[in-house]
Amino acid sequence: MSRLFFGAAAGAVAGILGVIVHAGPVNHEWCGPIMAVLLVVCGSWFSCETGTPKAGVVYACVCFAVTFVLFFYPPGNDVTALENSFNSRLWLYTVGLAALFPPAAAYCFRAVRRHGNSRN
């Protein structure tokens, strides 16, 4: 249970930081989304390694929920920024996929490892 709570807390922090970082520097449009995706993927992988893939899924759900809330509800309310900013739309489309990739990969690797061990 504490591992799931850790995944939720880490997901909330990563969601907040991702919303801040995704804008990136003005001169380099791609720098912000790449840093934000790497932040979310690394956090998701860390929560999978310290806990279970379930902790990674909780991380992903909380990260996406925090991002959604910060974009569409006060105090952030960046709906007007979504119409004008390529980075904001890209971040909303990729945050869920980036957060779910490590738990899915961990689940697949564990399933392959179990299947390989059952043959011996």
Side-chain angles (χ1 to χ4, degrees):
M1 186 67 169
S2 64
R3 293 176 182 175
L4 297 179
F5 178 73
F6 172 75
V13 170
I16 292 168
L17 289 175
V19 168
I20 294 169
V21 170
H22 85 277
V26 177
N27 296 335
H28 307 287
E29 289 182 352
W30 288 98
C31 187
I34 289 172
M35 287 189 308
V37 165
L38 290 176
L39 172 84
V40 169
V41 168
C42 289
S44 182
W45 175 76
F46 182 72
S47 67
C48 284
E49 287 296 317
T50 57
T52 61
K54 290 179 187 176
V57 172
V58 170
Y59 172 95
C61 293
V62 171
C63 186
F64 182 74
V66 166
T67 301
F68 185 81
V69 166
L70 287 176
F71 266 106
F72 292 108
Y73 297 104
N77 202 11
D78 284 342
V79 175
T80 55
L82 289 176
E83 295 175 7
N84 301 328
S85 176
F86 170 75
N87 290 349
S88 297
R89 287 187 303 241
L90 180 67
W91 177 240
L92 277 178
Y93 297 147
T94 58
V95 66
L97 295 174
L100 281 176
F101 178 73
Y107 178 76
C108 290
F109 288 141
R110 288 181 184 184
V112 168
R113 191 178 311 145
R114 271 188 250 131
H115 181 68
N117 289 340
S118 66
R119 288 185 177 187
N120 296 333

